[in-house]
Amino acid sequence: MKLLIDDANVEEIQRLVEYYPIDGVTTNPSILGKQKRNPKEVLLEIREIIGSDALLFVQALPTDAEGMVEDAKAIVKLLGENTIVKVPSIPEGFKAIRILKEEGITTCGTVVFTPMQAYLAAKAGASYVAPYVNRIDNMGYDGIRVTKEIQDILVNHHMDCMVLAASFKNSQQVLELCEYGIGSATAAPSVIDAFVKNPAIDRAVEDFIHDFESLGEKKTMSEYLG
């Protein structure tokens, strides 16, 4: 499963990329708005941090197909070919996805709340579809189940499209989708950190160190073996 950071805070992205095997970064208008900075500067900094080979998702803002296409071209021109344009999964979005597919621009059908939205975005030519797990839960439905249904649709119909699961509230949700074979997921820094945030893990590491230090004053293998 591809793992992406759902954030635009460059300090957090830099920290996570240093420690974790991250495949890219996803942004949206709300995430960029929280930075209170010129979005062009932020996106260029993110691209520099993650490198040209990593995936960077950026959303087109207009609600009409023509405007979405114009935004998409500007986004890819600035940030490179491994930039995926997020397009809302609405009728105008499906139209834009089809146009962008013909022009060789990779898209992600976003704001997905139902399996049929995902199906239409994939059929229009999106390479990714992004169901919002936690937001679906907040509507009174089961976000994990809906995401699994979308995965089944894509697999059963041999569609050239991958689920990009988004909007998580905890690491358990990510784990359940990882076990199911979901192709990619994007999570906030706090959720990614929670993958390994466990007192038992820290205690085990401390025990190993304590037991080893009982051998003598040397504290590392390199000190003994060098």
Side-chain angles (χ1 to χ4, degrees), residues 8 27-36 59 61 86 135:
T27 66
N28 61 43
S30 296
I31 286 174
L32 287 170
K34 290 178 182 178
Q35 305 312 307
K36 305 301 182 184
Q59 188 164 327
L61 281 171
K86 297 170 72 175
R135 293 194 185 191

Side-chain angles (χ1 to χ4, degrees), residues 49-130:
I49 291 169
I50 64 177
S52 60
D53 292 334
L55 301 175
L56 177 55
F57 288 71
V58 182
Q59 188 164 327
L61 281 171
T63 56
D64 63 291
E66 182 178 325
M68 292 176 188
V69 170
E70 185 176 352
D71 260 20
K73 290 179 178 179
I75 289 167
V76 173
K77 181 179 180 181
L78 176 69
L79 300 167
E81 62 181 352
N82 282 321
T83 304
I84 292 85
V85 180
K86 297 170 72 175
V87 177
S89 296
I90 58 177
E92 288 289 330
F94 303 141
K95 180 180 178 180
I97 289 170
R98 292 170 66 185
I99 294 171
L100 293 169
K101 175 73 171 180
E102 293 177 358
E103 299 198 14
I105 293 178
T106 305
T107 58
C108 170
T110 193
V111 195
V112 171
F113 290 88
T114 71
M116 291 311 294
Q117 271 185 290
Y119 168 75
L120 289 170
K123 191 170 177 60
S127 296
Y128 296 85
V129 287

Side-chain angles (χ1 to χ4, degrees), residues 176-205:
E176 188 168 347
L177 293 179
C178 185
E179 291 175 335
Y180 198 73
I182 297 299
S184 54
T186 183
S190 60
V191 174
I192 294 175
D193 283 328
F195 292 172
V196 292
K197 189 175 183 180
N198 188 315
I201 297 172
D202 297 336
R203 188 159 50 249
V205 173

Side-chain angles (χ1 to χ4, degrees), residues 166-184:
S167 180
F168 294 104
K169 62 183 177 182
N170 58 58
S171 59
Q172 179 61 35
Q173 293 175 316
V174 183
L175 170 61
E176 188 168 347
L177 293 179
C178 185
E179 291 175 335
Y180 198 73
I182 297 299
S184 54

